[in-house]
């Protein structure tokens, strides 16, 4: 099987052109392909498929092999992959598990429109919201030295969230225009270098508090930017922007 490897701010994905629907959607196989010792190695695997009403369709799996909810960086990488395959010119629309997404490509920078967010709930002093995937957002100090694995794993496996799982983001304010975000991801069950839906969730809590329409976001794997408009309680016109790159392509016998 031919595959491609992409990364978006260090969130990395095995990418397969499955327009012929030949890929076996088997949990054990996907887990093996994503394994960093015995496989290709990635935070997730994404299938590019045809959709009769859109330029293409996104099917996303976490590295544990389970199909999951929306992946923002994965979506940006898939747009870069579709652009590489000449599926569209500079703007596209695709279908994902959380609905329709628009995207634009300019000089390797991919701008992805995220779903509207109607509710930001509180859990104590922290925030819970869904940006296509469920996210917990906690503001901390000294984020560089923070134990993201232990604290994130604890919240993800706490009584309220254990069953469905949740992604856990730790946020530190850098300035009025910039935040630093580190994320423990459900389904990877570890910290990743960046999480697009998590960066979006974290950014929205910051935009709400400071009445802003955009914020720069630093992650371990690079920099992103989030734009959004607030209409009543709801955030609309939410865009996640940043680089996404093809790293290599190859053939695997794992299947
Ligand atoms: N890396 C992602 C989020 C992927 C989904 C997540 N692991 C989940 O199961 O909710 C992103 O960039 O958004």
């Amino acid at each position: 099987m031919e595959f491609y490897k992409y990364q978006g701010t260090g969130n990395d994905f095995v990418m397969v052109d499955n327009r012929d629907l030949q890929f076996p959607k088997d949990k054990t196989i996907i887990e093996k392909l994503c394994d960093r010792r015995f496989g290709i190695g990635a935070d997730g695997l994404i299938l590019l498929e045809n959709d009769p009403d859109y330029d293409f369709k996104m099917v996303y799996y976490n590295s544990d092999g389970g199909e999951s909810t929306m992946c923002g960086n994965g979506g940006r990488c898939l747009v870069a992959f579709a652009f590489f395959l000449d599926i569209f010119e500079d703007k596209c629309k695709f279908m994902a598990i959380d609905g329709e997404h628009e995207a634009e490509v300019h000089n390797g920078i991919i701008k992805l429109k995220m779903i509207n967010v109607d509710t930001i709930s509180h859990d104590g002093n922290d925030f819970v919201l869904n940006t296509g995937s469920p996210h917990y957002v906690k503001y901390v100090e000294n984020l560089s030295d923070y134990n993201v694995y232990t604290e994130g794993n604890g919240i993800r496996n706490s009584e309220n969230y254990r069953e469905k799982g949740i992604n856990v983001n730790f946020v530190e304010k850098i300035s009025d225009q910039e935040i630093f975000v580190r994320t423990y991801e459900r389904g990877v069950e570890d910290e990743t270098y960046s999480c697009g839906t998590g960066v979006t969730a974290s950014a929205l809590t910051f935009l709400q508090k400071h009445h802003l329409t955009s914020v720069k976001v630093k992650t371990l794997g690079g920099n992103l930017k989030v734009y959004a408009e607030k209409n009543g309680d709801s955030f609309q016109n939410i865009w996640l922007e940043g680089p996404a790159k093809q790293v290599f392509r190859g053939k695997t016998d794992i299947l």
Side-chain angles (χ1 to χ4, degrees):
M1 182 202 73
E2 190 177 33
F3 70 89
Y4 294 79
K5 179 83 191 287
Y6 275 74
Q7 64 85 11
T9 50
N11 206 188
D12 59 341
F13 307 96
V14 174
M15 211 65 83
V16 178
D17 179 357
N18 195 36
R19 284 177 290 178
D20 58 6
L21 298 178
Q22 291 304 299
F23 183 84
K25 296 177 177 175
D26 177 276
K27 190 172 190 294
T28 312
I29 291 175
I30 295 167
E31 193 175 11
K32 267 192 195 160
L33 290 168
C34 291
D35 190 295
R36 295 195 185 277
R37 307 258 174 203
F38 296 101
I40 300 160
D43 294 327
L45 180 143
I46 303 173
L47 302 177
L48 184 145
E49 295 187 354
N50 283 320
D51 185 298
D53 301 319
Y54 291 90
D55 292 308
F56 54 92
K57 176 173 142 190
M58 170 177 182
V59 184
Y60 172 75
Y61 300 87
N62 279 321
S63 60
D64 67 359
E67 187 173 354
S68 196
T69 46
M70 182 56 184
C71 177
N73 284 328
R76 294 189 312 98
C77 286
L78 188 68
V79 168
F81 184 41
F83 181 74
F84 165 79
L85 294 174
D86 279 332
I87 292 176
F88 68 96
E89 275 184 14
D90 55 350
K91 291 184 181 180
C92 65
K93 275 192 183 174
F94 69 93
M95 185 46 76
I97 195 157
D98 62 341
E100 175 184 304
H101 290 266
E102 290 172 45
E104 296 173 14
V105 181
H106 298 289
N107 298 325
I109 299 297
I110 316 292
K111 211 169 160 182
L112 174 67
K113 190 171 183 192
M114 309 297 286
I115 58 162
N116 293 345
V117 173
D118 295 329
T119 324
I120 301 184
S121 314
H122 289 267
D123 184 336
N125 292 326
D126 305 331
F127 303 91
V128 177
L129 61 159
N130 193 310
T131 52
S133 279
H135 284 277
Y136 190 101
V137 177
K138 184 180 188 66
Y139 282 75
V140 300
E141 284 174 10
N142 294 324
L143 182 53
S144 300
D145 298 330
Y146 200 77
N147 195 333
V148 168
Y149 177 80
T150 304
E151 300 300 325
N153 181 274
I155 293 170
R156 183 256 184 266
N157 290 300
S158 61
E159 205 181 327
N160 284 350
Y161 304 110
R162 189 178 306 139
E163 199 188 333
K164 290 188 179 157
I166 197 157
N167 301 282
V168 187
N169 305 275
F170 299 96
V171 185
E172 184 175 28
K173 178 178 170 180
I174 297 177
S175 73
D176 288 346
Q177 289 85 36
E178 189 172 14
I179 53 175
F180 177 30
V181 178
R182 291 176 64 189
T183 307
Y184 177 97
E185 265 193 56
R186 166 183 82 165
V188 179
E189 303 310 337
D190 206 346
E191 181 177 13
T192 56
Y193 275 21
S194 172
C195 172
T197 49
V199 157
T200 305
S202 305
L204 293 183
T205 65
F206 189 79
L207 297 182
Q208 172 164 267
K209 184 170 180 209
H210 298 278
H211 307 286
L212 297 168
T213 53
S214 71
V215 62
K216 291 193 265 181
V217 185
K218 180 180 135 184
T219 70
L220 293 181
N223 299 324
L224 290 159
K225 195 161 182 186
V226 175
Y227 306 82
E229 286 167 12
K230 192 139 192 262
N231 195 345
D233 283 343
S234 165
F235 276 103
Q236 298 166 353
N237 224 356
I238 305 172
W239 291 83
L240 171 69
E241 180 186 82
K245 289 196 179 118
Q246 189 179 118
V247 182
F248 60 86
R249 62 202 281 186
K251 284 197 174 157
T252 176
D253 296 330
I254 285 178
L255 299 181

